[in-house]
Amino acid sequence: MRKPVIAGNWKMYKNVGDSIATAVALKPLVANANHCEVVIAPVFTALKPVADRLEGSNVHVSAQNCATEQSEGALTGEVAAFMLRDAGCSHVIVGHSERRQYFLETDAIVSKKVQAGLAAGLTVIMCVGETLDQRDQGKAQSIVSEQLVGGLSGLTASDLDRIIVAYEPVWAIGTGRTATPEQAQEMHAFIRRVFAERHSQGAAESLRVLYGGSVKPDNIAGLMKQTDIDGALVGGASLKAESFAEIVNYSR
Ligand code: PEP
């Protein structure tokens, strides 16, 4: 049985005070959500204060990014994965399409970040997904496969239970246009097949594959009905505690 994950990516929204207020409001709203893991990903500056407020609750804290390097050093502006762990994070998101698109992150960079997250003891949510052009050209599966294989290269069997894959078609992120549950299911099943070929059938069956792209309270239930959809990575609709809690609660 794969335990679903509902993760909220707050992107570059909310200062420290707003982040704390949202996290504190969310906590009681999802306190009975034992059917899934609840994760929120505030901005770097809010990680420690939010994690402190959530200590002992069922809401986990994730960073949205980490450095490729595993130890401290002269790397102005970077934050190492072990520092995120130290700040109270249990998860880190890597390879989000906004990082790939605006910060030119390649699969090689994403792979280093995956390794850094794992080495720090974090669970890594690695994002993959094709652009609309790539989908229209019939390249969606080959792009996703390339990102999966490139990003997850060099993993050992013991690393696999701390890997979560988020399939986020770029054309569905922040656009209000969601992939249909069937479109998402098709890609999720494909991701599981690629993972089985690279690792093992058992590892593929245990892998949580989240869907991301305009998930809202009114479409989560349809997505969750699909066999290979194990939760969601939610952007816009995670910014308000109430709508995120509805998504968590409708994901049963
Ligand atoms: C995201 O940022 O990962 C995302 C899926 O955003 P949205 O839900 O707003 O499409």
Side-chain angles (χ1 to χ4, degrees), residues 7-11 93 96-98 127 166-169 172-177 211-216 233-238:
N9 173 15
W10 290 357
K11 309 194 184 198
I93 298 169
H96 191 280
S97 63
E98 287 154 13
C127 305
Y167 169 56
E168 300 205 303
I173 296 180
T175 56
R177 187 177 159 189
Y211 169 76
S214 300
V215 172
K216 298 184 200 68
L233 181 55
V234 187
S238 72

Side-chain angles (χ1 to χ4, degrees), residues 4-243:
V5 180
I6 304 291
N9 173 15
W10 290 357
K11 309 194 184 198
M12 200 174 75
Y13 292 103
K14 298 183 186 292
N15 59 22
V16 174
D18 293 338
S19 300
I20 292 172
T22 308
V24 167
L26 179 67
K27 194 160 60 160
L29 300 178
V30 297
N32 297 323
N34 303 317
H35 66 287
C36 71
E37 278 172 33
V38 182
V39 182
I40 54 171
V43 294
F44 280 134
T45 49
L47 291 172
K48 171 85 176 121
V50 164
D52 286 347
R53 296 320 189 280
L54 293 175
E55 217 182 315
S57 79
N58 62 337
V59 183
H60 303 275
V61 178
S62 176
Q64 300 172 17
N65 183 28
C66 69
T68 53
E69 297 308 309
Q70 297 187 11
S71 38
E72 61 187 0
L75 288 165
T76 304
E78 291 295 282
V79 182
F82 80 88
M83 295 165 176
L84 301 173
R85 180 86 198 254
D86 178 56
C89 291
S90 53
H91 293 64
V92 61
I93 298 169
V94 304
H96 191 280
S97 63
E98 287 154 13
R99 305 275 337 155
R100 293 178 188 264
Q101 196 177 345
Y102 305 129
F103 302 94
L104 310 182
E105 288 194 4
T106 60
D107 292 329
I109 291 173
V110 173
S111 166
K112 283 188 168 184
K113 294 186 176 192
V114 170
Q115 298 288 349
L118 291 171
L122 298 170
T123 293
V124 176
I125 303 174
M126 188 185 85
C127 305
V128 297
E130 80 287 358
T131 63
L132 190 55
D133 262 9
Q134 291 164 338
R135 176 161 280 260
D136 288 345
Q137 288 168 35
K139 292 186 186 157
Q141 290 195 344
S142 62
I143 293 293
V144 166
S145 164
E146 213 172 279
Q147 292 173 340
L148 265 181
V149 171
L152 299 179
S153 63
L155 297 190
T156 62
S158 65
D159 295 328
L160 301 180
D161 58 346
R162 282 190 291 121
I163 293 290
I164 296 171
V165 171
Y167 169 56
E168 300 205 303
V170 179
W171 46 273
I173 296 180
T175 56
R177 187 177 159 189
T178 327
T180 63
E182 294 72 26
Q183 275 174 322
Q185 164 59 27
E186 191 183 3
M187 189 61 90
H188 282 224
F190 173 73
I191 289 170
R192 214 176 292 288
R193 283 202 299 281
V194 172
F195 205 78
E197 277 160 25
R198 298 288 299 179
H199 301 286
S200 66
Q201 191 60 36
E205 273 161 25
S206 305
L207 177 73
R208 270 97 54 92
V209 186
L210 316 185
Y211 169 76
S214 300
V215 172
K216 298 184 200 68
D218 63 7
N219 59 23
I220 185 68
L223 290 161
M224 291 303 292
K225 283 204 185 88
Q226 304 298 316
T227 335
D228 289 292
I229 300 185
D230 307 309
L233 181 55
V234 187
S238 72
L239 293 171
K240 289 211 164 73
E242 295 72 19
S243 63

